[in-house]
């Protein structure tokens, strides 16, 4: 009962924090929206409630402060088949630099595949194909400043191209993680209440340019023939999908063989309304260094109501989740220790994306 009360109060605090910001809904007003696609099956399977938990190479997406948890060297590779033939691939590598911090390099690539060129005169196709793709190259740094506070940052170059037209931008991600002794079942910070905050994609605008924007202009129909005067469409600059995250996580169950983690994140984007992500992870540790993970979560919830909560009597308790943008996420993982500081991690997530269908994401990591 006490733990349920604590979780409810923490969720309530996060909801108040989110709703203090005036609601904004600016759908379709940002470019390079592939930067909002979750990276890493572990965080994605927990509904995206991962800003306080990221502790591997996927931290370059969730919260670069989590890179401070990397020891020695670590790599991460992700493959995610997206909708209508779109594929998302991520690869990253991080190095621990003693007494300096962790340095990481990453690439996030989205391939839209080949599309047939159509025109007004040839609606069935011209016989040509065009392609579109977007990618982000990042260099990240994370460090544990003191035993309870970590800081991280990522600088990235972002590119977007559609046939012969392209745009680019530079952006910066910043994040912090605070470890506390609150609600720790062992009294140690490493499994107490964690608080994470990050801001992602703070950068320049993207302005498309290229030969596809060239267009002959007929200045006037009254005097002469100016139909072949060269002209060019001039596009506006588009903002990047700026995202602020704040989240907390606790471990109400922690033993040598079992660990239960619960997390809540509040999100404030510049191109949508505020929302809440909820997640849970169960870890079963097998002697020898192998761990089995089961995860679930709920992403994009913008209303959670607590009705008639009576923790003393345990009756008439109702928790209602409404307006979830996506369905439940499910996933699992396996971490196998090979010896000599070598570990292999394999993770998978299944996501229900509403009208977009069901998605799968596969991640493999290697620590050495």
């Amino acid at each position: 009962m006490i733990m349920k009360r604590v979780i409810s109060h923490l969720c309530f605090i996060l909801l108040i924090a989110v709703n203090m910001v005036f609601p904004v809904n600016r759908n379709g007003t940002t470019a390079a929206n592939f930067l909002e696609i979750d990276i890493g099956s572990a965080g994605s399977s927990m509904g995206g409630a991962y800003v306080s938990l990221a502790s591997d190479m996927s931290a370059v997406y969730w919260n670069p402060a989590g890179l401070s948890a990397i020891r020695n060297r670590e790599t991460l590779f992700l493959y995610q088949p997206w909708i209508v033939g779109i594929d998302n691939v991520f690869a990253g590598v991080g190095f621990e630099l003693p007494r300096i911090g962790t340095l990481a390099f990453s690439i996030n690539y989205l391939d839209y595949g080949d599309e047939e060129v159509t025109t007004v005169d040839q609606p069935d196709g011209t016989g040509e194909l065009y392609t579109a793709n977007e990618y982000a190259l990042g260099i990240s740094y994370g460090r544990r400043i003191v035993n309870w506070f970590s800081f991280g940052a990522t600088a990235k170059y972002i590119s977007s191209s559609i046939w012969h037209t392209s745009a680019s931008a530079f952006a910066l991600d910043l994040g912090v993680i605070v470890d506390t002794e609150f609600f720790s079942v062992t009294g140690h910070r490493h499994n107490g209440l964690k608080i994470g905050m990050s801001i992602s994609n703070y950068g320049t605008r993207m302005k498309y340019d290229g030969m596809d924007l060239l267009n002959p202009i007929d200045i006037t129909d009254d005097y002469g023939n100016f139909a072949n005067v060269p002209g060019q469409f001039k596009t506006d600059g588009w903002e990047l999908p700026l995202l602020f995250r704040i989240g907390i996580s606790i471990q109400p169950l922690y033993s040598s063989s079992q660990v239960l983690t619960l997390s809540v994140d509040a999100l404030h984007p510049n191109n949508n309304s505020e929302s809440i992500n909820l997640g849970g992870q169960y870890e079963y540790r097998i002697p020898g260094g192998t761990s089995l993970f089961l995860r679930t979560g709920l992403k994009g919830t913008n209303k959670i109501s607590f009705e008639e909560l009576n923790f003393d009597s345990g009756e008439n308790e109702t928790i209602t989740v409404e307006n979830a943008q996506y369905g439940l996420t499910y996933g699992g993982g396996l971490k196998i220790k090979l010896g000599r500081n070598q570990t292999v991690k394999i993770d998978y997530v299944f996501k229900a994306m509403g009208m977009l269908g069901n998605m799968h994401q596969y991640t493999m990591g290697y620590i050495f």
Side-chain angles (χ1 to χ4, degrees), residues 281-304:
Q281 172 184 274
Y282 172 75
E283 176 186 1
Y284 180 73
R285 296 174 175 174
I286 303 172
T290 298
S291 292
L292 176 66
F293 298 91
L294 297 175
R295 306 180 181 101
T296 187
L298 186 64
K299 181 180 177 66
T301 304
N302 41 39
K303 183 177 180 181
I304 302 178

Side-chain angles (χ1 to χ4, degrees), residues 96-287:
E96 180 191 18
L97 304 175
R99 289 184 283 185
I100 296 178
T102 301
L103 186 65
F105 301 90
S106 62
I107 178 171
N108 185 13
Y109 179 77
L110 193 73
D111 182 13
Y112 291 92
D114 294 329
E115 298 290 339
E116 192 173 19
V117 177
T118 60
T119 65
V120 175
D121 297 327
Q122 296 175 286
D124 295 327
T126 65
E128 297 179 278
L129 296 176
Y130 77 93
T131 186
N133 61 74
E134 296 179 301
Y135 66 87
L137 298 173
I139 178 171
S140 307
Y141 172 77
R143 182 178 181 181
R144 184 174 291 274
I145 307 300
V146 292
N147 65 348
W148 56 270
F149 180 81
S150 300
F151 167 81
T154 296
K156 52 192 174 185
Y157 170 78
I158 303 160
S159 175
S160 175
S161 64
I162 306 173
W163 207 3
H164 306 117
T165 303
S166 62
S168 62
F170 293 92
L172 184 67
D173 299 349
L174 299 171
V176 297
I177 294 178
V178 179
D179 297 337
T180 76
E181 297 178 357
F182 295 112
F183 313 115
S184 173
V185 295
T186 64
H188 299 295
R189 292 182 181 275
H190 70 276
N191 63 349
L193 173 72
K194 295 181 184 294
I195 304 171
M197 291 176 285
S198 71
I199 183 169
S200 303
N201 309 318
Y202 179 76
T204 60
R205 291 173 176 258
M206 299 192 76
K207 187 174 183 178
Y208 286 87
D209 192 12
M211 62 179 294
D212 290 336
L213 298 178
L214 297 176
N215 188 54
I217 300 175
D218 190 353
I219 300 176
T220 175
D221 294 329
D222 299 329
Y223 303 100
N225 183 6
F226 296 95
N228 293 321
V229 174
Q232 183 177 18
F233 291 109
K234 184 177 181 181
T235 62
D236 287 333
W238 292 75
E239 295 179 4
L240 296 175
L242 185 67
L243 177 62
F244 173 73
R245 294 185 181 94
I246 180 171
I248 57 174
S249 60
I250 59 173
Q251 294 179 329
L253 171 63
Y254 189 93
S255 68
S256 60
S257 61
Q258 301 180 79
V259 180
L260 176 64
T261 304
L262 303 176
S263 59
V264 182
D265 281 10
L267 284 69
H268 176 61
N270 68 339
N271 58 2
N272 208 336
S273 57
E274 291 82 6
S275 62
I276 293 288
N277 293 340
L278 307 171
Q281 172 184 274
Y282 172 75
E283 176 186 1
Y284 180 73
R285 296 174 175 174
I286 303 172

